[in-house]
Coordinates of all heavy atoms in Angstrom, one line a residue:
A1 N -13.9 -1.4 -12.7 CA -12.8 -1.4 -13.6 C -11.6 -0.8 -13.0 O -10.5 -1.3 -13.2 CB -13.2 -0.6 -14.9
L2 N -11.8 0.3 -12.2 CA -10.7 0.9 -11.5 C -10.0 -0.1 -10.5 O -8.8 -0.2 -10.4 CB -11.2 2.1 -10.7 CG -10.1 3.0 -10.0 CD1 -9.1 3.5 -11.0 CD2 -10.8 4.1 -9.2
A3 N -10.8 -0.9 -9.8 CA -10.3 -1.9 -8.9 C -9.5 -3.0 -9.7 O -8.4 -3.3 -9.4 CB -11.4 -2.6 -8.2
E4 N -10.0 -3.4 -10.8 CA -9.3 -4.4 -11.7 C -8.0 -3.9 -12.2 O -7.0 -4.5 -12.2 CB -10.2 -4.8 -12.8 CG -11.5 -5.6 -12.4 CD -11.3 -7.0 -12.0 OE1 -10.2 -7.5 -12.2 OE2 -12.2 -7.6 -11.4
L5 N -8.0 -2.6 -12.7 CA -6.8 -2.0 -13.2 C -5.7 -1.9 -12.2 O -4.5 -1.9 -12.5 CB -7.1 -0.7 -13.8 CG -7.9 -0.7 -15.1 CD1 -8.5 0.7 -15.4 CD2 -7.1 -1.2 -16.3
N6 N -6.1 -1.7 -10.9 CA -5.1 -1.6 -9.9 C -4.9 -3.0 -9.1 O -4.3 -3.0 -8.1 CB -5.6 -0.6 -8.8 CG -5.4 0.8 -9.4 OD1 -4.3 1.4 -9.3 ND2 -6.5 1.4 -9.9
E7 N -5.4 -4.0 -9.7 CA -5.3 -5.4 -9.2 C -5.8 -5.5 -7.7 O -5.2 -6.1 -6.9 CB -3.8 -5.8 -9.3 CG -3.3 -5.9 -10.7 CD -1.8 -6.4 -10.8 OE1 -1.2 -6.5 -9.7 OE2 -1.4 -6.6 -11.9
L8 N -6.9 -4.8 -7.5 CA -7.6 -4.9 -6.2 C -8.8 -5.7 -6.3 O -9.5 -5.8 -7.4 CB -8.0 -3.5 -5.8 CG -6.9 -2.4 -5.8 CD1 -7.5 -1.0 -5.4 CD2 -5.8 -2.8 -4.7
D9 N -9.2 -6.4 -5.2 CA -10.5 -7.1 -5.2 C -11.6 -6.2 -5.2 O -11.6 -5.1 -4.6 CB -10.5 -8.0 -3.9 CG -9.5 -9.1 -3.9 OD1 -9.1 -9.5 -5.0 OD2 -9.2 -9.6 -2.8
G10 N -12.7 -6.6 -5.9 CA -13.9 -5.8 -6.0 C -15.1 -6.5 -5.3 O -15.3 -7.7 -5.6
L11 N -15.8 -5.8 -4.4 CA -17.0 -6.4 -3.8 C -18.1 -5.5 -4.0 O -18.0 -4.2 -3.9 CB -16.7 -6.5 -2.3 CG -17.9 -7.0 -1.4 CD1 -18.3 -8.4 -1.7 CD2 -17.5 -6.9 0.1
V12 N -19.3 -6.0 -4.4 CA -20.4 -5.2 -4.7 C -21.4 -5.3 -3.5 O -21.8 -6.4 -3.1 CB -21.2 -5.6 -6.0 CG1 -22.4 -4.8 -6.2 CG2 -20.2 -5.5 -7.2
V13 N -21.8 -4.2 -2.9 CA -22.8 -4.2 -1.8 C -24.0 -3.5 -2.3 O -23.9 -2.3 -2.7 CB -22.2 -3.5 -0.6 CG1 -23.3 -3.3 0.5 CG2 -21.0 -4.3 0.0
L14 N -25.1 -4.2 -2.3 CA -26.4 -3.6 -2.7 C -27.2 -3.2 -1.4 O -27.7 -4.1 -0.7 CB -27.2 -4.6 -3.6 CG -28.5 -4.1 -4.1 CD1 -28.3 -2.8 -4.9 CD2 -29.1 -5.1 -5.1
N15 N -27.2 -2.0 -1.1 CA -27.7 -1.5 0.2 C -29.2 -1.1 0.1 O -29.7 -1.0 -0.9 CB -26.8 -0.4 0.8 CG -27.0 -0.1 2.2 OD1 -27.4 -1.0 3.0 ND2 -26.9 1.1 2.6
K16 N -29.7 -0.7 1.3 CA -31.1 -0.3 1.4 C -32.1 -1.3 1.0 O -33.1 -1.0 0.3 CB -31.3 1.0 0.6 CG -30.5 2.2 1.1 CD -30.9 3.5 0.5 CE -30.2 4.7 1.1 NZ -30.6 6.0 0.5
A17 N -31.8 -2.6 1.3 CA -32.8 -3.7 1.0 C -34.1 -3.5 1.7 O -35.1 -4.1 1.2 CB -32.2 -5.0 1.5
D18 N -34.2 -2.6 2.7 CA -35.5 -2.4 3.4 C -36.4 -1.6 2.4 O -37.6 -1.6 2.7 CB -35.2 -1.6 4.6 CG -34.4 -0.4 4.4 OD1 -33.1 -0.5 4.3 OD2 -34.9 0.8 4.4
L19 N -35.9 -1.0 1.3 CA -36.7 -0.3 0.4 C -37.2 -1.2 -0.7 O -38.0 -0.7 -1.6 CB -36.0 0.9 -0.2 CG -35.5 1.9 0.9 CD1 -34.8 3.1 0.1 CD2 -36.7 2.5 1.7
A20 N -36.8 -2.4 -0.8 CA -37.2 -3.3 -1.9 C -38.6 -3.8 -1.6 O -39.1 -3.9 -0.5 CB -36.3 -4.5 -2.0
A21 N -39.3 -4.1 -2.7 CA -40.7 -4.6 -2.6 C -40.7 -5.9 -1.8 O -40.0 -6.8 -2.1 CB -41.3 -4.8 -4.0
G22 N -41.6 -6.0 -0.8 CA -41.7 -7.2 0.0 C -40.6 -7.3 1.0 O -40.5 -8.4 1.7
A23 N -39.8 -6.3 1.2 CA -38.6 -6.4 2.1 C -39.0 -6.8 3.5 O -38.3 -7.6 4.2 CB -37.8 -5.1 2.1
P24 N -40.1 -6.2 4.1 CA -40.4 -6.6 5.5 C -40.7 -8.0 5.7 O -40.6 -8.5 6.9 CB -41.6 -5.7 5.8 CG -41.5 -4.6 4.8 CD -41.0 -5.2 3.6
D25 N -41.1 -8.8 4.7 CA -41.5 -10.1 4.8 C -40.4 -11.2 4.8 O -40.6 -12.3 5.1 CB -42.6 -10.5 3.8 CG -43.8 -9.5 3.9 OD1 -44.1 -9.2 5.0 OD2 -44.3 -9.2 2.8
G26 N -39.2 -10.8 4.3 CA -38.1 -11.8 4.2 C -36.9 -11.3 3.5 O -36.8 -10.1 3.2
P27 N -36.0 -12.2 3.1 CA -34.8 -11.8 2.4 C -35.1 -11.2 1.0 O -36.2 -11.5 0.4 CB -34.1 -13.2 2.2 CG -34.7 -14.1 3.2 CD -36.1 -13.6 3.4
T28 N -34.3 -10.3 0.6 CA -34.4 -9.6 -0.7 C -33.7 -10.4 -1.8 O -32.5 -10.7 -1.6 CB -33.9 -8.2 -0.6 OG1 -34.6 -7.5 0.5 CG2 -34.1 -7.4 -1.9
A29 N -34.4 -10.6 -2.9 CA -33.8 -11.3 -4.0 C -32.9 -10.3 -4.8 O -33.2 -9.1 -4.8 CB -34.8 -11.9 -4.9
L30 N -31.9 -10.8 -5.4 CA -31.0 -10.0 -6.2 C -31.8 -9.5 -7.4 O -32.3 -10.2 -8.2 CB -29.8 -10.7 -6.7 CG -28.7 -9.9 -7.5 CD1 -28.1 -8.9 -6.6 CD2 -27.7 -10.9 -8.1
P31 N -31.8 -8.1 -7.6 CA -32.5 -7.6 -8.8 C -31.8 -8.1 -10.1 O -30.6 -8.3 -10.1 CB -32.3 -6.1 -8.6 CG -32.2 -5.9 -7.2 CD -31.4 -7.1 -6.7
S32 N -32.6 -8.4 -11.1 CA -32.0 -8.9 -12.3 C -30.9 -8.1 -12.9 O -30.0 -8.6 -13.6 CB -33.2 -9.2 -13.3 OG -33.8 -7.9 -13.6
E33 N -31.0 -6.7 -12.7 CA -30.0 -5.9 -13.3 C -28.6 -6.1 -12.8 O -27.6 -5.7 -13.4 CB -30.3 -4.4 -13.1 CG -31.7 -4.0 -13.5 CD -32.7 -4.0 -12.4 OE1 -32.8 -5.1 -11.8 OE2 -33.4 -3.0 -12.1
F34 N -28.5 -6.8 -11.6 CA -27.2 -7.1 -11.0 C -26.7 -8.4 -11.4 O -25.5 -8.8 -11.0 CB -27.3 -6.9 -9.5 CG -27.3 -5.4 -9.1 CD1 -28.4 -4.7 -9.0 CD2 -26.1 -4.8 -8.7 CE1 -28.4 -3.4 -8.7 CE2 -26.1 -3.5 -8.3 CZ -27.2 -2.8 -8.3
E35 N -27.4 -9.2 -12.1 CA -27.0 -10.6 -12.5 C -25.7 -10.5 -13.3 O -24.8 -11.4 -13.1 CB -28.1 -11.3 -13.2 CG -29.2 -11.8 -12.3 CD -28.7 -12.9 -11.3 OE1 -27.6 -13.4 -11.5 OE2 -29.5 -13.2 -10.4
P36 N -25.5 -9.5 -14.2 CA -24.2 -9.5 -14.9 C -23.0 -9.5 -14.1 O -21.9 -10.0 -14.4 CB -24.4 -8.3 -15.8 CG -25.8 -8.1 -16.0 CD -26.4 -8.5 -14.7
Y37 N -23.1 -8.8 -12.9 CA -21.9 -8.7 -12.0 C -21.7 -10.1 -11.4 O -20.5 -10.5 -11.2 CB -22.2 -7.7 -10.9 CG -22.4 -6.3 -11.5 CD1 -23.7 -5.8 -11.6 CD2 -21.4 -5.5 -12.0 CE1 -23.9 -4.5 -12.2 CE2 -21.6 -4.3 -12.6 CZ -22.9 -3.8 -12.7 OH -23.1 -2.6 -13.3
R38 N -22.7 -10.8 -11.0 CA -22.5 -12.1 -10.5 C -21.9 -13.0 -11.5 O -21.0 -13.8 -11.3 CB -23.8 -12.7 -9.9 CG -23.8 -14.1 -9.4 CD -25.1 -14.5 -8.8 NE -25.3 -13.8 -7.5 CZ -26.4 -13.9 -6.8 NH1 -27.5 -14.5 -7.3 NH2 -26.5 -13.3 -5.6
A39 N -22.4 -12.9 -12.8 CA -21.9 -13.7 -13.9 C -20.5 -13.4 -14.2 O -19.7 -14.3 -14.6 CB -22.8 -13.5 -15.1
A40 N -20.1 -12.2 -13.9 CA -18.7 -11.8 -14.2 C -17.7 -12.3 -13.0 O -16.5 -12.1 -13.1 CB -18.6 -10.3 -14.3
G41 N -18.3 -12.8 -12.0 CA -17.5 -13.4 -10.9 C -17.4 -12.5 -9.6 O -16.7 -12.8 -8.7
Y42 N -18.2 -11.4 -9.6 CA -18.2 -10.5 -8.4 C -19.1 -11.1 -7.3 O -20.2 -11.5 -7.6 CB -18.6 -9.1 -8.8 CG -17.5 -8.4 -9.6 CD1 -17.8 -8.2 -11.0 CD2 -16.3 -8.0 -9.1 CE1 -16.8 -7.5 -11.7 CE2 -15.4 -7.4 -9.8 CZ -15.6 -7.1 -11.2 OH -14.7 -6.5 -11.9
E43 N -18.6 -11.0 -6.1 CA -19.5 -11.3 -5.0 C -20.4 -10.1 -4.7 O -20.0 -9.0 -4.7 CB -18.7 -11.7 -3.8 CG -19.6 -12.1 -2.6 CD -18.7 -12.4 -1.3 OE1 -17.5 -12.1 -1.3 OE2 -19.3 -13.0 -0.4
I44 N -21.7 -10.4 -4.5 CA -22.7 -9.4 -4.2 C -23.3 -9.6 -2.9 O -23.9 -10.7 -2.6 CB -23.7 -9.3 -5.3 CG1 -23.1 -9.1 -6.7 CG2 -24.7 -8.2 -5.0 CD1 -24.1 -9.1 -7.8

């Protein structure tokens, strides 16, 4: 919201993917809790 109010671009970085379940075996899927940000147009 602070970025939007200042007319700045917002980028969401979800870090520590190595701690996700199954992370050593391949790419990490986006947790469902972050889907609203993608739906709002933010790159994750």
Side-chain angles (χ1 to χ4, degrees):
L2 185 59
E4 296 285 347
L5 288 165
N6 286 278
E7 299 181 349
L8 306 174
D9 291 338
L11 173 65
V12 178
V13 172
L14 185 54
N15 194 32
K16 297 190 177 182
D18 50 285
L19 300 182
D25 300 323
T28 302
L30 181 68
S32 59
E33 305 96 306
F34 281 84
E35 285 295 347
Y37 300 102
R38 177 174 286 171
Y42 291 108
E43 182 178 14
I44 303 174

